[in-house]
Amino acid sequence: MAHKIDTPAARAKLPTRRAPYWHQVRTNPFMGWRYMTEGSTGTWVAKAQEGRKERFEPLGKLDDIAEKDRFAAALKRPNAWFDVIEAEGVGATLIPSRMTLQHVLLEYVAAQRATKGANAAHSAQSRFELLIATYPKEGPDSWLYRPLSKITKAEFVAWRAWMSALPKDPMKLNKTEPEARPRSGATVNRDIATFRAALNLAHRTHGIADVWKAALKRDLAADEGRGPVVYLSIDQRRALMAGAQEVAPDVMAFLHAHLIVPVRPGAFAQMTVKDYDRRAHALWVEKDKAGAKRWVPLPKDKATIDFMQACTKDKLPLAPLFCNDAGPPWNFGRWNIAIKAAAAQAKLPKELTMYWLRHSRITDLVELNMPLSHIATIGGTSGAIIEKHYGHLRGDAVQAALMVAGF
């Protein structure tokens, strides 16, 4: 039988006995308090089921901590162990009705690590820790430890409202402007997308009802309100490269790759030397936002061939492909700082991002009349998306075609 031991008042009502009083803190783990002698502070112990065995973790008296804080202090110590147990418990051995929100998030992070790599897993886990684990409050009463099937649509709606009101960087929650900028609709959409993906995985895998569907729906109007993505002329691209040469030379190979083919920055960042096929002169995209594994052919001009030879020279097969030094693979934080510095040096708009380079290269290919389906394949997107955003550029070609007499 479980007992309430999380407050001094609750513990004061319990009689002495040899066996601990157990308080269920998650689906599997329990926090225990053993009260054997009248007037003593008692001792704390954690337990959890690991396979067919119960494991116990003595935590001591904790009498150096204020009585009202002892339960929370006791819980902090075995939390990492509890996380491991719950991560291992996800899957066929767990009854869907007992699957907590914590299980769902851990399962999704594990799936990201297995299919998209450590960076994708870390990104998802960071979002969950900042935006989900702290709502509505941390500790044993967090919604993380409740069965997902018991969380209502209204609670997901309330979470969305709470998360939308956070600053753009939740780590700056207690800071004032201009550091703590308000969260844009597009940022909310991105953060919700990760949470929704985790919940949808649980829905597909375990058949849990998707009561969150309407509450976490993408706000299309917010996407339409995003800042413009600007086409960079050839001269502007050259100025950007010159600016990078001056202030951020390490990013030049990474920038150069974006000016050859319109692959997403995250996919370029994941590429290693082995992903370049010298004989075919093509790049293998193993990991991409859209999950579309594919070969991307490169132009066979001397400049591109020389560039790729320089990127692979004297490097091991698993070394990052587009790093000028022996440093770690590129990530958003590093490349964003570098491109902003290069843009400032080149006197280009401060809003410039890597996506502008992708957009510019796709625009080039559309205006050269490459079939939209081919562009979509190279870019790792759908023909419908290319048609939606770039189809208007084909206006002149369509008008010229219609000049041919129809009768």
Side-chain angles (χ1 to χ4, degrees), residues 187-232:
T187 299
V188 170
N189 273 344
R190 284 194 298 273
D191 290 331
I192 285 178
T194 307
F195 190 19
R196 189 172 57 239
L199 294 168
N200 288 341
L201 177 63
H203 172 64
R204 294 193 305 272
T205 307
H206 305 287
I208 300 172
D210 55 349
V211 297
W212 58 82
K213 191 171 183 179
L216 303 185
K217 189 175 181 181
R218 188 178 192 88
D219 182 357
L220 298 178
D223 285 339
E224 292 173 0
R226 295 170 69 177
V229 179
V230 177
Y231 175 82
L232 296 178

Side-chain angles (χ1 to χ4, degrees), residues 35 64 70 124 193 233 251 279 302 338 370 388 395:
Y35 184 50
D64 57 332
R70 284 176 193 163
S233 68
V251 81
R279 290 178 296 179
K302 185 176 185 304
M370 176 182 282
K388 176 182 176 181

Side-chain angles (χ1 to χ4, degrees), residues 173-191:
L173 181 60
N174 298 320
K175 296 187 178 182
T176 57
E177 296 288 357
E179 291 180 297
R181 291 184 292 167
R183 182 169 289 250
S184 69
T187 299
V188 170
N189 273 344
R190 284 194 298 273
D191 290 331

Side-chain angles (χ1 to χ4, degrees), residues 240-251:
L240 181 66
M241 291 294 286
Q245 178 68 58
E246 291 291 326
V247 297
D250 289 347
V251 81

